[in-house]
Amino acid sequence: MTSPETVLATSTLPPPRDAYKINWIRLAPFLYTVGLFVAWEIGVRISGLPHTILPTPSRIFEAIVQYWSPIWKNSLQTLYTTVLGFLIAVVAGLGIGLFIGWSKTIYAGLYPIMIGFNAIPKVALVPILVIWFGIGTVPAVLTAFLISFFPIVVNVATGLATIEPETEDVLRALGAKKLDIMLKVGIPRSMPYFFGSLKVAITLAFVGSVVSETVASNNGLGNMMASAQSNFNVPLVFAGLLMLALEGIVMYALMAWLEKRMTGWAHRSTMSN
Amino acid sequence: MPLVSIDNVDMRYGGPNGTLAVSGLDLHIDRGEFVAVVGPSGCGKSTLMKLTTGLHIPQSGTVIVAGQEVTKPVSIVGMAFQNPTMLPWRTTLENILLPLEIVERHRHRLRKHKREYVEKAEALLETVGLKGFGDKFPWQLSGGMQQRANLCRALIHEPELLMLDEPFGALDAFTREELWCVIRDLHASQDVTIVLVTHDLRESVFLADKVVVMSARPGRVVSEHVVPFERPRQLDILYQPAFNDMVQALHSEIATARAAA
């Protein structure tokens, strides 16, 4: 005989279905990636394109296994030059951004110069860097730096330049100096812009280091792909691209995590309020 | 001697041919007085605030606050605007303590006497009906609550003069009336002189000892009206004929000032 309590308990409990529910949103990035590779594989097989034009993903993975030692070594080299250049860009970008955002005159004077500098294709600078520093790691680091510091500068300067006038009035009426306003309001305020710009900057840094390695280095994924290409080893070229994509995704995710971690308040509120 | 004396002040923005915001402005505010400034829009009410706090220095005439001619920002004032401008990365309590990190007299004491200041901030929060909200972030508060916190921030360094620039303009009618009472009680309990710039004539008559009417640009003082109602005032006086007559008289005066422009 069942007691009334157990009857009640079993009838009101929801069926334990939730535990088996698949979280499609979390799974989507992996499914879509797999889907892309599958479609690619099938497409190449059906069309019968040779490996020297477009290799199948399976052939690329084969190449990754086959050439793992040089791929690993060169991937680390590229990651190293990229991250180093990026770190210099963070320090310099933060510094120049604060300097530019400090006063309207400096902002007006330096902004056109910055725009002009940013318009120069950085690949055109690599030969100059080679004249100055020789080929290898240094020009790669510097190209990564030069290409990635601009978005950081612009974002930090924007954050500083958009302080609400009321906030400034309230503080100035209390006798606040420019430095006080910058420390208490300007810099914390520009941090969401700064961390947001890191995601853009890290991807650009990869572009810079690989361009430089391709043109002027004996190391790195850029150089590896350039020499693989001259040997018609197209699967190895694609293997290099895949490694670059992977490094890019990992670094981007790291920056996104950092952004969320450091400036959570900006994602839960509107800045203007 | 009045706390604030403004004598024959001209203020022009944007060079010799710029807009003349106020011209021949005369205004005297006694210590402990509650003055409301009303007038048509663009009459230089905000300029008046900036002149009094020393954010602007007049081209001619004199502004004297607490016995000293104003030549730089005077740190005996607290300010609150329509936009609460709470810093979203600080908790409400930290926002309220911000002026203490700036004002010369407090900034060096703050670290050592933190507890004392926090207690003071919490007492202020209680006065405006925000007890226990100190560790919430401003964006977790409603507009009315943010404005209450804004008042606390304006008062934390015990200013002698509180300047309010349409602080309740963006709030709904009920919250506004609630905050009128908060301001009324603050003025009654603390030794503070208040200047309230507003568009709301009922607000000015309900709160102030003296209502100052300004003309259209270039602004000057057209008339001053002493508000005769006894303190403490309750919200019911809003519905008394004498109150409404005064509001209506002010209204027609401002309408004339607008037409003259």
Side-chain angles (χ1 to χ4, degrees), chain A residues 12-270:
Chain A
T12 54
L13 268 176
R17 203 183 289 160
D18 284 352
Y20 305 108
K21 212 172 169 187
I22 295 169
N23 189 343
W24 288 107
I25 294 184
R26 283 202 81 106
L27 224 54
F30 302 99
L31 294 179
Y32 277 60
T33 311
V34 171
L36 172 71
F37 283 127
V38 170
W40 179 355
E41 182 84 33
I42 294 171
V44 173
R45 276 171 196 261
I46 289 176
S47 64
L49 281 171
H51 286 323
T52 45
I53 293 182
L54 184 62
T56 58
S58 57
R59 182 73 188 82
I60 296 169
F61 288 121
E62 213 175 284
I64 291 180
V65 174
Q66 189 184 346
Y67 300 105
W68 178 247
S69 161
I71 287 177
W72 179 244
K73 198 188 94 209
N74 289 313
S75 296
L76 284 185
Q77 168 69 17
T78 299
L79 190 64
Y80 164 69
T81 52
T82 306
V83 169
L84 193 58
F86 171 73
L87 288 179
I88 300 172
V90 167
V91 174
L94 204 52
I96 298 173
L98 292 177
F99 181 68
I100 288 185
W102 191 269
S103 94
K104 289 207 163 66
T105 321
I106 301 174
Y107 190 87
L110 281 185
Y111 208 72
I113 299 177
M114 304 281 303
I115 300 279
F117 179 78
N118 192 47
I120 299 172
K122 300 301 171 296
V123 65
L125 292 180
V126 177
I128 301 173
L129 294 175
V130 170
I131 293 174
W132 290 347
F133 303 105
I135 64 163
T137 307
V138 179
V141 170
L142 288 179
T143 316
F145 155 65
L146 288 174
I147 205 169
S148 65
F149 92 108
F150 186 76
I152 301 178
V153 169
V154 171
N155 276 280
V156 172
T158 307
L160 291 181
T162 52
I163 300 176
E164 291 93 343
E166 288 99 341
T167 313
E168 221 174 326
D169 280 351
V170 167
L171 296 181
R172 278 183 52 216
L174 295 170
K177 305 276 177 297
K178 186 86 185 170
L179 183 66
D180 289 323
I181 295 174
M182 282 295 163
L183 287 176
K184 303 288 180 199
V185 184
I187 294 175
R189 213 194 119 78
S190 65
M191 283 303 109
Y193 296 89
F194 168 69
F195 284 105
S197 73
L198 295 188
K199 293 188 291 190
V200 181
I202 188 70
T203 5
L204 285 174
F206 275 107
V207 174
S209 58
V210 172
V211 159
S212 176
E213 284 168 0
T214 309
V215 186
S217 181
N218 297 321
N219 282 312
L221 286 173
N223 170 255
M224 185 193 81
M225 288 190 291
S227 48
Q229 180 243 344
S230 57
N231 296 331
F232 292 103
N233 190 348
V234 180
L236 183 56
V237 175
F238 275 84
L241 291 177
L242 208 61
M243 292 308 288
L244 274 176
L246 204 64
E247 288 185 350
I249 290 172
V250 169
M251 292 311 289
Y252 184 96
L254 190 65
M255 294 307 135
W257 174 80
L258 202 63
E259 180 188 12
K260 220 168 170 178
R261 186 72 209 272
M262 303 300 291
T263 55
W265 56 266
H267 296 277
R268 280 171 290 180
S269 71
T270 49

Side-chain angles (χ1 to χ4, degrees), chain A residues 164 166-177 180-181 184-185 188-189 265 268-273, chain B residues 50 53 55 73-75 77 79 81 83 85-90 98-99 101-103 107 139 146 157:
Chain A
E164 291 93 343
E166 288 99 341
T167 313
E168 221 174 326
D169 280 351
V170 167
L171 296 181
R172 278 183 52 216
L174 295 170
K177 305 276 177 297
D180 289 323
I181 295 174
K184 303 288 180 199
V185 184
R189 213 194 119 78
W265 56 266
R268 280 171 290 180
S269 71
T270 49
M271 292 279 298
S272 57
N273 232 342
Chain B
K50 291 191 172 171
T53 50
L55 290 173
V74 282
S75 61
V77 291
M79 288 174 107
F81 295 93
N83 181 351
T85 63
M86 295 272 122
L87 305 177
W89 55 89
R90 287 171 168 244
L98 178 67
E101 297 169 25
I102 305 287
V103 174
R107 66 191 299 171
W139 35 269
Q146 286 191 31
H157 59 293

Side-chain angles (χ1 to χ4, degrees), chain B residues 128-159:
Chain B
V128 301
L130 278 184
K131 188 175 161 61
F133 284 93
D135 50 4
K136 291 264 186 295
F137 284 94
W139 35 269
Q140 294 171 314
L141 306 182
S142 69
M145 289 159 99
Q146 286 191 31
Q147 201 51 269
R148 287 163 200 255
N150 192 14
L151 288 176
C152 293
R153 185 177 62 183
L155 287 167
I156 187 74
H157 59 293
E158 293 173 353

Side-chain angles (χ1 to χ4, degrees), chain B residues 110-122:
Chain B
L110 183 59
R111 199 173 297 234
K112 261 198 187 146
H113 300 79
K114 185 84 185 219
R115 182 190 291 266
E116 174 193 323
Y117 285 116
V118 168
E119 272 168 18
K120 199 160 105 188
E122 272 164 358

Side-chain angles (χ1 to χ4, degrees), chain B residues 24 186 194 247:
Chain B
L186 280 173
I194 302 183
V247 170

